[in-house]
Amino acid sequence: MKRAILTIAIAVMGLTAAFAQQDTTKRARRQMPKMTAEQRAERVTAKMEKELSLTADQKSKIYAIQLENAKTMDTWRNADQGDMKGKIKDRKAAMDAQKAKIDAVLTADQKTKMDAFRAEAKEKAGKMRKGLGGRGKKDKEPVVSNPPSQG
């Protein structure tokens, strides 16, 4: 009887330890601060000013573009979630329009820096997508465990 109780106690402790480790290995998702459209536009404009050395005139124009974009994003977030494919096309068109507006404000040197930042961001996004457990685009061939022998 004592052996049965001891065996059950050890099994319970082992399972408890296994479940406790499972919770600690998951990465905690960082909460994004709730910001208004104005705060988001100000943050993006400040970052661009720092990275691209914007003039005061450029800064005010970029802020206006970013504020318009942030307000548009707010309306999309609060809208109904139906017809996502149509909305994705609309959002992509809006992002392209915003990119064109920003490029019109920047000088040639600033545009090249901005293109480098965009390429870096795209690369980071691709790496994050690959790390989502295969939910992103698959670009690898399937692995064959036992290929047929030739000859």
Side-chain angles (χ1 to χ4, degrees), residues 48 58 61-70 72 93-107 111 114 118:
M48 287 179 70
Q58 286 177 321
K61 289 178 182 177
I62 296 288
Y63 176 77
I65 294 167
Q66 293 295 344
L67 181 60
E68 177 187 342
N69 182 54
T72 304
M95 286 173 50
D96 290 341
Q98 177 198 11
K99 194 184 297 185
K101 287 178 187 177
I102 289 173
D103 286 347
V105 173
L106 300 177
T107 64
K111 281 182 195 177
M114 189 68 182
R118 287 174 181 155

Side-chain angles (χ1 to χ4, degrees), residues 11 18 23-25 32 34 39 48 54 56 66-67 77 81 87 90-91 96 114 123 128 142 144:
D23 289 340
T24 58
T25 57
M32 295 297 289
K34 301 288 183 192
Q39 290 171 327
M48 287 179 70
L54 299 176
Q66 293 295 344
L67 181 60
R77 281 189 193 111
Q81 295 297 320
K87 289 181 180 182
D90 292 342
R91 289 181 183 191
D96 290 341
M114 189 68 182
E123 184 179 320
M128 286 180 67
V144 179

Side-chain angles (χ1 to χ4, degrees), residues 16-108:
T16 304
F19 284 115
Q21 283 183 349
Q22 186 180 23
D23 289 340
T24 58
T25 57
K26 290 182 180 178
R27 281 198 283 172
R29 188 169 181 170
R30 186 175 49 157
Q31 288 290 327
M32 295 297 289
K34 301 288 183 192
M35 294 192 296
T36 64
E38 290 81 11
Q39 290 171 327
R40 287 195 310 271
E42 183 61 40
R43 189 180 85 198
V44 172
T45 305
K47 184 176 179 182
M48 287 179 70
E49 179 184 24
K50 177 184 166 191
E51 300 290 335
L52 301 175
S53 305
L54 299 176
T55 64
D57 183 46
Q58 286 177 321
K59 183 180 175 184
S60 63
K61 289 178 182 177
I62 296 288
Y63 176 77
I65 294 167
Q66 293 295 344
L67 181 60
E68 177 187 342
N69 182 54
K71 287 181 179 179
T72 304
M73 289 297 179
D74 280 347
T75 58
W76 282 337
R77 281 189 193 111
N78 298 331
D80 183 27
Q81 295 297 320
D83 189 31
M84 286 305 288
K85 288 192 178 190
K87 289 181 180 182
I88 289 172
K89 290 178 184 176
D90 292 342
R91 289 181 183 191
K92 179 147 177 49
M95 286 173 50
D96 290 341
Q98 177 198 11
K99 194 184 297 185
K101 287 178 187 177
I102 289 173
D103 286 347
V105 173
L106 300 177
T107 64

